[in-house]
Amino acid sequence: MAVPSLLHSVIFLSLYLTSTNYAAVVPKRTTLQLFHVNSPFHTKPDPLSWDELQSKDQARLNYLVSLVTRKSLPIASGRQQVVQSPTYVIRASVGTPPQSFLMALDTSNDAAWVPCGGCEGCPLTVFSSENSTSYKILDCQDIHCQQVPSPFCATGSCSFNVTYGGSIVSANLSQDTVNLGGDDIPGYTFGCIKKITGPSSIPSQGLLGLGRGPLSLVSQSQNLYQSTFSYCLPSYKALNFSGSLWLGPVGQLKKIKYTPLLKNPKRSSLYYVNLVAIKVGRKIVGIPPSALAFNATTGAGTIIDSGTVFTRLVQPVYEAVRDEFRRRMGPTANVTTLGGFDTCYNVPITIPSIVLVFDGLNVSLPQDNFLIRSSSGSISCLAMAASPNNVNSVLNVIASFQQQNNRYIFDIPNNRLGITRQACS
């Protein structure tokens, strides 16, 4: 079955900027024009099936598990066409004069990466560092060299290797000016990719990390955006997208509820939250407390992630949710499977509600946030899955499909995450 065509359309979204430079006293908000990327930016490939999306999600989960065991800008639904992964992208510029890229947003990663000229295994769109007057490669003595994974010296410069999805990325640690919607961030530290090995599973035009570590956008632009950002991801079915990424505390929504962000020093990039229960219909599902408990030593708990499409729950949690969902559907409902989804029904059907219960707030999921439907509309599936059996995962991952049309506010200085319903489609 093919993914609905709008799911693999890449849409640029209006973004709002809260500041224009480091010296600004009165922040301003800038609105960028909406673009449909289908024709001007990329030729649409063959659509992915739900099963292929699930497969890519599993590679994403493997990456997240590896982490455990060891102003306004244009966002677009990246999917397969532009970033070679099911995620969201923003338009960013690197260098002087600026070179434009569609960079994937990743809330579970820190460092930014850009494919550079001469890169082995990289796509055609690359950063020409030799054409930027503000570009420089960092040496091995630079303090930032100790902040990247597996650093090593290559002809005196700092290099590093990192595994992302199923690919191994080799990059030189570099600095240059990054521009986000008119805001210059000079001396931004990022990886200039020189080689990619393995399957092509990394964003083709680069990645911008929104994690909590020292090399993330949150940390490197702290003086500008005060470690605060929010986003609203639009529905994949929306004809007119108005989703947005807001950078900085100015203009963020005020009257919303928050849940604490939990700190895990061993996994400092990840945004852990305390998911305390899940309701299906009016019933709180019987889940073993240990399956939801935060544990900084093992990495167990629940994270918010922008790069995974469908929410993954550890086996005891998923089975409890799935079984109650099936029970609510009634004994006469004909359950079937579709790709990696094991709870599917022929329509029309009556769907029970699902509520994620966090410490301090509840998030009611509209049906579009927990159901996928076949292109013919004849089958509907619960759009969640258990962590793969072959992965020793202790993470529950609240993914982008479940985040649609909600404003997620990451208030790092106050260690809290705000979530509220917002129709950004």
Side-chain angles (χ1 to χ4, degrees):
M1 180 190 66
V3 176
S5 60
L6 287 174
L7 179 58
H8 46 77
S9 294
V10 180
I11 309 292
F12 274 103
L13 313 170
S14 298
L15 304 175
Y16 301 91
L17 295 162
T18 59
S19 180
T20 54
N21 55 59
Y22 285 97
V25 175
V26 181
K28 74 170 187 176
R29 174 171 288 178
T30 301
T31 302
L32 283 80
Q33 189 179 359
L34 246 140
F35 291 99
H36 192 294
V37 186
N38 233 14
S39 54
F41 290 99
H42 204 275
T43 301
K44 185 175 69 175
D46 293 334
L48 291 178
S49 69
W50 291 121
D51 199 32
E52 288 170 318
L53 270 177
Q54 278 277 45
S55 176
K56 286 183 172 291
D57 251 9
Q58 181 163 331
R60 172 69 180 184
L61 187 66
N62 291 341
Y63 165 70
L64 293 175
V65 170
S66 74
L67 297 180
V68 169
T69 56
R70 48 140 207 123
K71 190 170 200 153
S72 223
L73 307 178
I75 289 185
S77 175
R79 293 241 34 280
Q80 180 74 355
Q81 308 81 319
V82 176
V83 297
Q84 300 299 320
S85 62
T87 185
Y88 290 84
V89 298
I90 64 167
R91 190 173 195 172
S93 297
V94 182
T96 307
Q99 301 173 39
S100 183
F101 300 91
L102 302 180
M103 300 180 71
L105 294 181
D106 191 342
T107 56
S108 297
N109 196 76
D110 291 334
W113 315 328
V114 177
C116 290
C119 173
E120 180 181 344
C122 282
L124 295 177
T125 302
V126 296
F127 173 59
S128 300
S129 58
E130 67 277 9
N131 293 331
S132 173
T133 59
S134 50
Y135 175 81
K136 72 173 182 178
I137 298 177
L138 301 184
D139 60 38
C140 299
Q141 285 70 47
D142 193 283
I143 188 173
H144 297 99
C145 193
Q146 303 307 313
Q147 297 171 343
V148 294
S150 305
F152 62 94
C153 276
T155 62
S157 62
C158 180
S159 301
F160 66 95
N161 294 327
V162 64
T163 300
Y164 189 87
S167 301
I168 298 176
V169 176
S170 299
N172 292 333
L173 194 61
S174 308
Q175 284 185 343
D176 209 330
T177 296
V178 170
N179 184 282
L180 300 174
D183 288 357
D184 278 338
I185 308 175
Y188 198 99
T189 302
F190 65 97
C192 194
I193 301 176
K194 292 302 181 182
K195 184 177 182 181
I196 300 175
T197 56
S200 180
S201 58
I202 75 162
S204 62
Q205 293 191 27
L207 177 144
L208 190 64
L210 287 173
R212 303 181 72 176
L215 290 183
S216 72
L217 173 65
V218 172
S219 298
Q220 293 201 57
S221 65
Q222 186 173 4
N223 291 337
L224 184 61
Y225 301 128
Q226 300 175 48
S227 300
T228 304
F229 70 94
S230 73
Y231 58 66
C232 185
L233 304 180
S235 168
Y236 70 88
K237 298 192 304 180
L239 295 175
N240 297 299
F241 283 49
S242 56
S244 57
L245 170 71
W246 296 347
L247 297 174
V250 175
Q252 299 291 356
L253 302 180
K254 303 299 182 183
K255 295 182 179 180
I256 69 170
K257 293 183 177 180
Y258 286 87
T259 187
L261 284 171
L262 308 179
K263 291 184 177 181
N264 187 341
K266 296 181 179 179
R267 292 96 190 173
S268 60
S269 300
L270 303 180
Y271 290 101
Y272 279 90
V273 291
N274 189 12
L275 178 66
V276 298
I278 299 176
K279 291 175 64 177
V280 177
R282 296 183 178 181
K283 180 179 179 179
I284 293 180
V285 177
I287 297 172
S290 60
L292 294 176
F294 172 68
N295 187 314
T297 300
T298 64
T302 301
I303 67 168
I304 304 296
D305 181 50
S306 65
T308 307
V309 178
F310 302 113
T311 287
R312 295 296 187 109
L313 303 171
V314 297
Q315 204 77 26
V317 179
Y318 176 70
E319 289 178 353
V321 172
R322 178 200 62 192
D323 292 349
E324 180 61 21
F325 188 87
R326 290 178 177 179
R327 191 186 73 79
R328 292 271 173 175
M329 293 297 296
T332 60
N334 183 24
V335 64
T336 185
T337 62
L338 180 67
F341 300 101
D342 64 3
T343 302
C344 304
Y345 299 88
N346 294 322
V347 293
I349 51 178
T350 301
I351 308 295
S353 60
I354 295 181
V355 178
L356 303 179
V357 182
F358 297 97
D359 179 9
L361 66 87
N362 294 349
V363 178
S364 298
L365 300 180
Q367 288 187 14
D368 284 346
N369 286 32
F370 66 84
L371 288 182
I372 60 166
R373 295 180 174 89
S374 64
S375 56
S376 64
S378 61
I379 297 177
S380 295
C381 299
L382 178 62
M384 300 179 184
S387 299
N389 291 328
N390 62 337
V391 176
N392 186 24
S393 176
V394 292
L395 276 177
N396 298 294
V397 181
I398 307 301
S400 61
F401 194 86
Q402 279 65 45
Q403 296 177 39
Q404 298 174 96
N405 283 308
N406 283 282
R407 172 71 54 181
Y408 279 68
I409 301 178
F410 296 78
D411 182 358
I412 314 305
N414 294 304
N415 288 308
R416 61 182 187 170
L417 172 72
I419 306 174
T420 189
R421 186 72 179 152
Q422 187 178 59
C424 59
S425 293

